Amino acid sequence: MKIYTGRGDDGLTDLRDMSQVSKASPRIEAYGTVDEVNALVGVVRPLEYEDVEDCLREVQNQLHVVQADFATPEPAEDDPVVTESHVEAVEDWIDEFDAELDPLEQFVLPSGSEPGAKLHHARAVCRRAERRAVELAGTQPEINERAIVYLNRLSDLLFTLARVVNKREGNREEHPTY
């Protein structure tokens, strides 16, 4: 299989059903931003913390499901789609990792160790992906709402993981001053 096909040279790209849309469409913007999140999560890996590493590996696989979900206008029964179990997995990870943190009482500056700061960056891009997905859902009513919920929870998980990694690395949280 060749990497280049020339099919996108005119500013169009294929969806999973082989229909074509503009590369500037809200659908492409949504799943392209999810791809950015996935790439940023990949930049954090590998980590010396096996539990966080395992979680992020699974998140990367789940983000491919989100992308496929957004790239499939009318999913067939066997197409990958975000389900409640994806959301529940993220919630379980949040609960698990949050248990080792002090309660959050104020905002946290996105900083810390290198992997912690990278996780904060991934969280910020995940919030953008969520905004793009909400925009897409406003124009395409068939968009799977579970995928939007997943991105909302994922940004919370990435925030929690940033705090956990920073704590494990001995970095104190900094808070904004007003």
Side-chain angles (χ1 to χ4, degrees):
M1 180 173 114
K2 282 186 155 185
I3 290 295
Y4 61 92
T5 64
R7 288 181 49 84
D9 291 352
D10 58 357
L12 298 176
T13 191
D14 297 330
L15 297 178
R16 282 181 48 95
D17 65 2
M18 297 310 291
S19 63
Q20 289 195 313
V21 297
S22 167
K23 290 182 178 184
S25 80
R27 184 178 297 277
I28 304 307
E29 187 64 32
Y31 77 68
T33 308
V34 171
D35 188 33
E36 285 182 66
V37 175
N38 205 340
L40 288 169
V41 170
V43 168
V44 176
R45 298 181 54 214
L47 277 170
E48 65 181 89
Y49 309 109
E50 190 174 330
D51 57 344
V52 177
E53 171 75 18
D54 291 345
C55 175
L56 292 177
R57 182 181 309 103
E58 185 59 30
V59 162
Q60 285 193 289
N61 283 293
Q62 290 178 356
L63 285 169
H64 273 276
V65 175
V66 175
Q67 286 179 264
D69 200 330
F70 288 160
T72 310
E74 295 179 26
E77 197 162 309
D78 61 341
D79 284 329
V81 294
V82 177
T83 66
E84 187 62 30
S85 66
H86 292 103
V87 174
E88 289 170 355
V90 173
E91 290 174 346
D92 290 345
W93 286 321
I94 292 169
D95 293 342
E96 175 187 332
F97 286 108
D98 193 54
E100 76 179 82
L101 295 169
D102 295 331
L104 188 63
E105 295 180 4
Q106 55 187 315
F107 288 109
V108 175
L109 292 177
S111 60
S113 66
E114 184 175 342
K118 288 177 180 178
L119 284 162
H120 277 299
H121 186 190
R123 174 205 42 86
V125 176
C126 189
R127 286 286 185 208
R128 180 162 35 95
E130 180 187 5
R131 292 190 302 273
R132 298 297 184 264
V134 167
E135 180 181 24
L136 174 62
T139 63
Q140 305 290 317
E142 77 279 1
I143 295 302
N144 180 358
E145 289 182 21
R146 290 286 101 199
I148 295 171
V149 172
Y150 177 87
L151 292 172
N152 186 19
R153 293 299 184 287
L154 179 60
S155 62
D156 294 336
L157 173 63
L158 294 170
F159 176 76
T160 301
L161 291 175
R163 292 185 69 214
V164 164
V165 168
N166 280 336
K167 180 178 180 181
R168 291 179 184 181
E169 303 230 334
N171 289 87
R172 286 190 37 207
E173 290 183 341
E174 295 179 38
H175 306 283
T177 58
Y178 298 99

